[in-house]
Amino acid sequence: MSTLHGTLVRLEPLSLAHAPDLAKAAEEDRSAYAFTMVPRAGEVEAYISAQLTRPGLTPFAQVRTLDGAAVGCTGFWNPRPWPGRTDLAAIEIGFTWLAASAQGTGINTEAKLLMFAHAFEEMGVARVDLKTDARNTRSRRALERLGATFEGVLRSWSASWAPGEDGMLRDSAVYSVIASEWPAVRENLTARRSEQE
């Protein structure tokens, strides 16, 4: 996967070269990470190695163009082909987190714009999925602001990342954007990014 370039953020294929920046980013105010898998500074190299070997995941470092610092991660996840074909019908955007200093700066908006554009216009998918812990109201509001459609809650769907819930399952709130909705979502994200620049 090649680098996806924006004005606020560059999505670079994740590598161990991003570890020092991500270790700093991960140790900023962690209060927004109650339901999100974000490594501690000492875990970043192992986290990156795990992301690079996780089947079905194409991970990126979110690099702030202002100073060239890696301030978070995101990725394409769970690619699904069309029935009886090899080309993709759907993909998920996930494993997303940002340093506290990068939140609310337009980086998340532009990163999603870049990823949706790549998924719909380069990969040619019919659908992009997004999921979050059903209890994560902050993340759910952010997904709704993107223009994604809420589809429901999958009960006991995947591993919980909440503190004290190791080995437990979480309920996942599922959102999506389909190809016919992409032009309106693109317009919304482009307008929101312009407001945040």
Side-chain angles (χ1 to χ4, degrees):
M1 181 67 69
S2 57
T3 298
L4 305 180
H5 293 273
T7 57
L8 301 173
V9 66
R10 196 170 60 245
L11 300 181
E12 298 180 356
L14 184 64
S15 75
L16 287 171
H18 297 112
D21 283 349
L22 291 176
K24 292 176 189 171
E27 290 302 327
E28 293 183 14
D29 179 2
R30 294 180 60 90
S31 61
Y33 302 151
F35 302 106
T36 306
M37 180 176 59
V38 180
R40 301 301 310 222
E43 302 166 339
V44 165
E45 288 192 9
Y47 168 86
I48 292 172
S49 295
Q51 296 292 83
L52 294 175
T53 57
R54 187 182 296 267
L57 176 63
T58 302
F60 295 96
Q62 300 194 69
V63 178
R64 185 169 47 207
T65 58
L66 182 67
D67 58 5
V71 293
C73 294
T74 192
F76 285 121
W77 166 242
N78 193 24
R80 299 187 308 283
W82 287 94
R85 291 161 45 182
T86 57
D87 51 325
L88 290 184
I91 200 158
E92 183 174 337
I93 294 173
F95 293 91
T96 301
W97 62 273
L98 276 175
S101 62
Q103 296 171 21
T105 64
I107 287 175
N108 182 59
T109 300
E110 186 171 70
K112 293 298 189 295
L113 177 61
L114 293 170
M115 295 181 82
F116 280 128
H118 189 79
F120 287 116
E121 297 169 15
E122 303 299 324
M123 295 178 175
V125 301
R127 171 188 171 94
V128 173
D129 304 327
L130 306 106
K131 293 198 295 286
T132 189
D133 191 304
R135 300 167 293 181
N136 191 343
T137 54
R138 178 187 177 124
S139 179
R140 292 180 69 170
R141 283 195 305 268
L143 292 174
E144 289 160 7
R145 284 193 302 272
L146 295 175
T149 298
F150 173 60
E151 295 188 332
V153 173
L154 300 175
R155 298 176 300 158
S156 297
W157 179 253
S158 60
S160 174
W161 304 114
E165 295 186 0
D166 290 351
M168 297 176 66
L169 296 174
R170 74 176 196 190
D171 293 348
S172 292
V174 180
Y175 293 78
S176 70
V177 175
I178 60 174
S180 62
E181 298 165 340
W182 166 232
V185 169
R186 180 178 54 213
E187 185 176 332
N188 170 51
L189 291 176
T190 301
R192 289 189 58 227
R193 179 190 60 184
S194 295
E195 292 168 3
Q196 294 170 319
E197 284 181 328

